[in-house]
Amino acid sequence: MTASSTRRPTARKSRIVAVGAIAVAGTMLLTACGDQTGGTKEDGPTKAKTSSAPLAGKLPKAIQDKGVIKVGSDIAYPPVEFKDKGKVVGIDPDLAAALGKQLGVEFEFENGTFDTLLTGLRSKRYDIAMSAMTDSKARQEGKDPDTGKKVGEGVDFVDYFIAGVSIYTPKGKTQGIETWSDLCGKKLVVQRGTVSHDMAKSESKKCEKGGKGKKGKKISVEAFGNDLEAQTRLRSGGADAGSSDFPVAAYAVKTSGGGKDFELVGEQVEAAPYGIAVDKDNKELTEALRLALDAIIKNGEYKKIISKWGVDAGAVTEAKINGGS
């Protein structure tokens, strides 16, 4: 999920790119169907399976022994991660399964509210957080994106995708909205703690300062626990527009109401990487994930998954640690 500082995540701005390229690919989002992610405690790998994987020895011994990496994720963010007939599917679960083959472990997804995932990571509830989380300096350093004050120890990120933030409106009711400045005086729905949320707060301050006759007309921002709740609010007529990471916004536009509920407006902005968050004290796990990601990029599994979900324009060519700004 992208964030404003930004994106589904944190102080960061968002993603990229060739909106046209992804827009075309967006039509694929409807037909894509992710594999069941990782596994459950009942079907976890045996120790023999773990030791036979190419990169199993790179994992911390504690994880090798249990054969499972616990993943904190807000599983309500299609197409990145969501539930389909009770199974956890999407871009992140598919990538996690591919990483698991390299490391010889199952990635066990546990649902949580997005803005609590890093807290869960710090408390050791999860080994990693993987949830369309934007890699930003604020998150790396454990700082509040609004105040710049230290609020935690920070985390390390293994970057695996690039995405931007988009705005969408009810279909046929754009009200001339094309850019963030056009939202002055309007009501916007977002997911709490995301880049979109951070951007909305920042842009609202600009609106209040004036410019183009919009002095004092701040953005009325309503934040929800997950993006699906924000979409429901917009669909019911409770807001003028919504904002989320481009892959998510494109998926909502294509699928909600059979494509009749929403439309994308303007171009996506704030290109930034999604990162797998890892505790700063767990450098061994961070490096193991980096190696595993590089391995699936090189063997073609990564490209196959990204293409399957129609988001090729956000693909990375190598794994990086803390590449966000």
Side-chain angles (χ1 to χ4, degrees):
M1 302 141 176
T2 284
S4 126
S5 6
T6 228
R7 184 166 345 38
R8 204 181 171 186
T10 251
R12 207 314 18 72
K13 282 145 189 228
S14 219
R15 288 46 151 170
I16 138 170
V17 259
V19 174
I22 300 187
V24 173
T27 59
M28 297 172 63
L29 296 174
L30 276 173
T31 57
C33 180
D35 297 330
Q36 165 68 26
T37 198
T40 64
K41 295 177 182 178
E42 290 73 25
D43 63 4
T46 63
K47 198 167 185 178
K49 174 183 174 183
T50 303
S51 62
S52 65
L55 296 172
K58 300 297 183 179
L59 287 169
K61 188 174 185 305
I63 290 180
Q64 291 184 46
D65 289 343
K66 68 181 181 180
V68 170
I69 290 178
K70 290 187 176 182
V71 185
S73 187
D74 179 2
I75 308 173
Y77 209 60
V80 186
E81 56 263 317
F82 61 107
K83 288 189 177 181
D84 181 19
K85 298 179 181 179
K87 292 183 177 182
V88 181
V89 300
I91 299 168
D92 282 358
D94 281 0
L95 289 175
L99 295 175
K101 293 177 185 178
Q102 297 295 319
L103 298 168
V105 295
E106 299 289 343
F107 281 64
E108 186 178 284
F109 279 64
E110 296 185 15
N111 197 22
T113 304
F114 185 77
D115 57 0
T116 66
L117 295 181
L118 293 186
T119 300
L121 181 62
R122 287 191 289 267
S123 67
K124 310 301 182 184
R125 178 178 178 181
Y126 315 123
D127 297 308
I128 65 174
M130 188 175 187
S131 193
M133 184 174 289
T134 302
D135 172 5
S136 66
K137 287 296 183 184
R139 284 189 174 127
Q140 293 170 24
E141 299 171 357
K143 293 181 178 179
D144 183 287
D146 294 324
T147 66
K149 293 182 179 179
K150 189 83 170 174
V151 294
E153 295 305 311
V155 296
D156 286 326
F157 286 99
V158 179
D159 299 336
Y160 65 97
F161 189 74
I162 300 293
V165 170
S166 291
I167 300 170
Y168 58 101
T169 68
K171 195 160 189 174
K173 298 180 181 179
T174 65
Q175 300 183 66
I177 298 172
E178 293 185 357
T179 68
W180 279 83
S181 63
D182 295 327
L183 291 169
C184 296
K186 300 290 195 299
K187 185 170 184 178
L188 178 73
V189 291
V190 297
Q191 179 176 349
R192 188 180 308 114
T194 63
V195 175
S196 291
H197 192 189
D198 290 344
M199 287 185 67
K201 290 185 286 187
S202 176
E203 191 65 38
S204 186
K205 292 178 181 177
K206 295 179 183 178
C207 292
E208 290 186 279
K209 292 180 180 178
K212 296 184 179 181
K214 298 177 180 177
K215 184 177 179 61
K217 295 183 179 180
K218 65 180 183 179
I219 301 172
S220 176
V221 182
E222 188 172 6
F224 295 83
N226 65 61
D227 202 72
L228 295 179
E229 292 175 351
Q231 291 174 27
T232 298
R233 181 66 163 168
L234 181 60
R235 190 183 299 112
S236 67
D240 299 300
S243 177
S244 60
D245 293 359
F246 175 76
V248 178
Y251 189 86
V253 167
K254 289 292 181 181
T255 60
S256 182
K260 297 179 180 179
D261 289 341
F262 307 128
E263 66 178 279
L264 288 170
V265 294
E267 297 184 355
Q268 56 179 314
V269 298
E270 302 295 336
Y274 282 169
I276 301 171
V278 187
D279 191 289
K280 281 192 174 294
D281 291 333
N282 207 343
K283 302 295 185 184
E284 192 174 5
L285 177 56
T286 300
E287 178 62 9
L289 291 169
R290 186 191 70 79
L291 292 171
L293 179 57
D294 261 341
I296 65 172
I297 289 173
K298 291 176 182 177
N299 70 18
E301 285 189 84
Y302 174 86
K303 185 179 187 301
K304 183 184 296 184
I305 292 168
I306 295 301
S307 295
K308 165 185 173 180
W309 288 99
V311 290
D312 301 73
V316 298
T317 57
E318 65 176 330
K320 291 184 179 180
I321 295 176
N322 295 336
S325 60

